[in-house]
Amino acid sequence: MIIGLGSDLCNIDRIQGSLDRFGERFEARVFTDVERAKAARRPFTKAGTYAKRFAAKEAFSKAVGTGFKAGVHMKDIGVVNAPSGAPTLALTGGARARLDAMIPEGHSALIHLTLTDDHPWAQAFVIIEAIPSLKD
């Protein structure tokens, strides 16, 4: 069953402006080490790489219904790649706690994430699904 849905549209030029103005401070405050390493490998599309991840964080915060409050922080939400290469989310801290609180007993969470960009826009959709846990 679907228990959360969120989307976000982010302006790549706005992210570039934050990078230009705040640089390392902005990156360290908002993005995980994994996200920062990926962006560093993409110097010509760094702002777009960050904008997609920023949109994913916003979309997740909407899917769990809190926004960035109730202990949910941007750095607790990290975009990573599954072994297949598909993007997904790695959660820590308040983001993980909020998701765990939403999942009905006897279920586990499955997060679906899709990212896209077409300058000047980056977009993310998050669907959180509760799936029955396997029984012994």
Side-chain angles (χ1 to χ4, degrees):
M1 79 183 93
I2 294 174
I3 61 169
L5 172 66
S7 69
D8 191 66
L9 185 65
C10 181
N11 186 287
I12 296 168
D13 294 332
R14 180 174 154 242
I15 297 298
Q16 183 63 60
S18 293
L19 289 169
D20 293 343
R21 185 169 180 199
F22 302 108
E24 174 70 22
R25 264 185 39 220
F26 171 67
E27 292 177 69
R29 186 175 45 99
V30 175
F31 300 101
T32 67
D33 291 342
V34 171
E35 292 169 321
R36 293 173 70 195
K38 184 168 213 93
R41 292 191 303 270
R42 298 175 170 178
F44 299 108
T45 59
K46 186 175 187 176
T49 298
Y50 277 143
K52 286 186 283 189
R53 281 144 187 82
F54 192 96
K57 295 166 187 287
E58 290 277 358
F60 175 82
S61 76
K62 293 171 184 176
V64 296
T66 60
F68 292 107
K69 51 188 172 181
V72 176
H73 303 286
M74 283 202 157
K75 280 191 72 167
D76 292 342
I77 306 161
V79 176
V80 297
N81 293 94
S84 67
T88 189
L89 296 176
L91 305 172
T92 59
R96 168 54 63 190
R98 175 63 183 145
L99 178 64
D100 289 346
M102 293 175 61
I103 303 300
E105 189 172 329
H107 289 73
S108 58
L110 179 60
I111 298 173
H112 304 277
L113 170 64
T114 185
L115 304 170
T116 191
D117 66 299
D118 188 7
H119 196 86
W121 301 108
Q123 186 173 40
F125 287 96
V126 170
I127 298 172
I128 302 172
E129 186 178 4
I131 56 173
S133 299
L134 296 176
K135 296 182 182 183
D136 295 325

